[in-house]
Amino acid sequence: MQFTFTEEQEEFRRYLRRFLDAKSPAVEVRRLMETEDGYDPAVWRQLCTDLGLPAVQIPETYGGQGFGFVELGIALEEMGRALLCAPYFASAVLASNAILNAGTEEQKRELLPPLAAGEVVATLALAEESGRWDSAGIAMTATRTGSGYTLDGVKSFVLDGHTAGLIVVAARRAGTVGDAGLSLFTVDAEAPGLNRRLLRSADATRKLARLEFSGVPAGLLGKEGAAAAPLAKTLDQAAVCLASEMVGGAEHLRESALEYVQMRMQFGRPIASFQAIKHKSAELLLDVELAKSAAYYAAQAADDDADDLPAVASLAKACAADAYTRTAIEAVQMHGGIGFTWDNDTHLWFKRAKSSEVFLGTPAYHRELMMQRWNG
């Protein structure tokens, strides 16, 4: 297990940070969060063609760059730091990994190259109105027809579900529960019977949608009734990636708060010199560094497909969510009165911290999952 980044990985981080500093300043985040699509197609094309980011962890055989989750984690950490508005997590993390984990060889060769090139944006539709992020929460039914399948039900909290061109959907055979009868399907966004609606959420930088399926034609991804294990692996990988994104956001908040208290004067000296502020700063540094360690370890475990990946994925998700939320709360306080206003950019990251806290499962859910997995 390696605990340091290589020079190539560090150079990748520096290049990506320069790109995101130029393309995703706070003023641009504020502009895009007010739009329905939620991202800039021109920046998305640059991100795909100039940097090849949607292809990072996809094998070269399927049009990808053939790197791994460590490099994907670096990309997401920098995106979280810049609060990039783009359908990257939905397409490059959720959908691509679901296809890699569940698809047949022929399906991977057909579906992954357009995703790697950024020509098609995809997403994964899993959660329903119960808000659960596991197989037990899936009630959508798949019915076999003469030429394929039709889907009936509702998916909610679908990341970028209103703009994605391809949707990977988890559904089950009628009359089954839990992991039994669970399959993944691919659905064209223009398929008849599919109604998509953008949801209003607290974090406008992360677009969520509600999808209603009424006899929607779908293609089976992988084997029928065998999606439980690939889906669980996809969610573990996604938790690792989200932990990296949250670490980047927390680090940005910590640095911006520290910069502010070093500049803000009170009683003739910077408020950073007060003991109370020093304590807060030290605690934030400890929180963020611990979350980084957990996220980096989990990314390496995902790269190695290690046996303890399920447990460390939950550990990283819970640790990063707690650290991001605490950092956001303290950053608002350290900014004083201005920190409570919407005019201050801290609130952009504060709301992302709150949405990331519950996306893919709350910290309490993942701590419980982690204990179950470690105890076998």
Side-chain angles (χ1 to χ4, degrees):
M1 184 73 70
Q2 183 174 324
F3 290 91
T4 57
F5 293 109
T6 65
E7 181 53 37
E8 289 77 13
Q9 289 167 337
E10 293 289 3
E11 180 58 29
F12 172 55
R13 182 190 296 278
R14 286 192 290 270
Y15 184 81
L16 182 54
R17 185 172 296 184
R18 287 197 296 272
F19 175 85
L20 293 172
D21 284 347
K23 302 297 180 181
S24 184
V27 65
E28 189 65 3
V29 173
R30 288 180 181 273
R31 181 183 75 81
L32 292 172
M33 62 187 273
E34 298 298 334
T35 66
E36 183 167 326
D37 286 354
Y39 71 101
D40 186 334
V43 173
W44 174 252
R45 279 195 298 275
Q46 280 186 288
L47 188 139
C48 298
T49 56
D50 296 352
L51 283 75
L53 291 183
V56 168
Q57 91 288 10
I58 295 176
E60 293 178 77
T61 309
Y62 310 125
Q65 297 194 23
F67 294 107
F69 283 88
V70 172
E71 287 78 11
L72 184 60
I74 292 172
L76 285 159
E77 186 179 344
E78 293 306 313
M79 290 178 188
R81 180 188 181 90
L83 209 61
L84 177 70
C85 293
Y88 187 79
F89 200 95
S91 195
V93 176
L94 292 172
S96 294
N97 287 326
I99 294 168
L100 277 168
N101 293 329
T104 63
E105 185 64 22
E106 183 181 0
Q107 289 171 332
K108 293 176 190 176
R109 289 183 183 278
E110 177 190 352
L111 297 172
L112 289 172
L115 267 63
E119 296 165 354
V120 173
V121 171
T123 189
L124 172 67
L126 170 68
E128 301 184 1
E129 293 183 300
S130 67
R132 296 189 59 152
W133 293 94
D134 57 14
S135 60
I138 299 172
M140 175 171 282
T141 57
T143 306
R144 191 162 196 164
T145 64
S147 57
Y149 295 81
T150 57
L151 304 181
D152 291 276
V154 175
K155 293 292 183 184
S156 198
F157 318 116
V158 182
L159 187 58
D160 295 303
H162 65 306
T163 55
L166 177 71
I167 305 163
V168 179
V169 185
R172 63 171 64 256
R173 189 170 59 249
T176 61
V177 295
D179 289 348
L182 200 62
S183 303
L184 287 174
F185 299 88
T186 54
V187 172
D188 188 291
E190 301 302 321
L194 174 60
N195 181 40
R196 305 192 290 174
R197 180 167 59 86
L198 176 65
L199 295 173
R200 292 186 63 184
S201 58
D203 175 21
T205 66
R206 171 167 275 155
K207 303 294 186 183
L208 299 173
R210 173 186 170 92
L211 309 184
E212 297 174 351
F213 295 73
S214 178
V216 176
L220 180 65
L221 182 66
K223 296 180 180 178
E224 182 180 0
L231 183 59
K233 185 175 181 180
T234 301
L235 291 175
D236 288 338
Q237 293 166 336
V240 173
C241 292
L242 186 56
S244 293
E245 185 192 284
M246 287 189 284
V247 160
E251 180 67 2
H252 169 86
L253 282 174
R254 189 191 70 80
E255 290 177 354
S256 66
L258 190 60
E259 183 180 348
Y260 179 78
V261 296
Q262 288 173 329
M263 176 272 294
R264 177 79 166 85
M265 302 294 287
Q266 190 66 275
F267 306 118
R269 57 177 179 156
I271 62 173
S273 63
F274 299 151
Q275 198 64 37
I277 298 296
K278 288 181 178 179
H279 282 161
K280 279 185 186 293
S281 301
E283 287 166 358
L284 290 186
L285 177 63
L286 186 61
D287 275 349
V288 176
E289 288 301 312
L290 285 173
K292 274 186 187 178
S293 299
Y296 295 167
Y297 184 93
Q300 188 65 61
D303 248 358
D304 299 339
D305 201 14
D307 291 340
D308 63 349
L309 171 61
V312 298
S314 286
L315 168 67
K317 170 63 169 75
C319 186
D322 287 343
Y324 199 1
T325 303
R326 279 198 298 268
T327 305
I329 293 170
E330 295 293 356
V332 168
Q333 290 195 350
M334 288 166 73
H335 276 82
I338 194 173
F340 288 91
T341 68
W342 181 236
D343 294 333
N344 188 274
D345 291 335
T346 304
H347 269 271
L348 299 174
W349 279 262
F350 180 91
K351 292 195 173 184
R352 175 61 72 88
K354 295 304 290 180
S355 74
S356 297
E357 185 181 28
V358 297
F359 189 63
L360 300 179
T362 65
Y365 167 79
H366 277 284
R367 278 192 288 271
E368 174 64 28
L369 206 56
M370 176 186 69
M371 294 307 296
Q372 291 175 10
R373 288 167 162 179
W374 256 327
N375 291 329

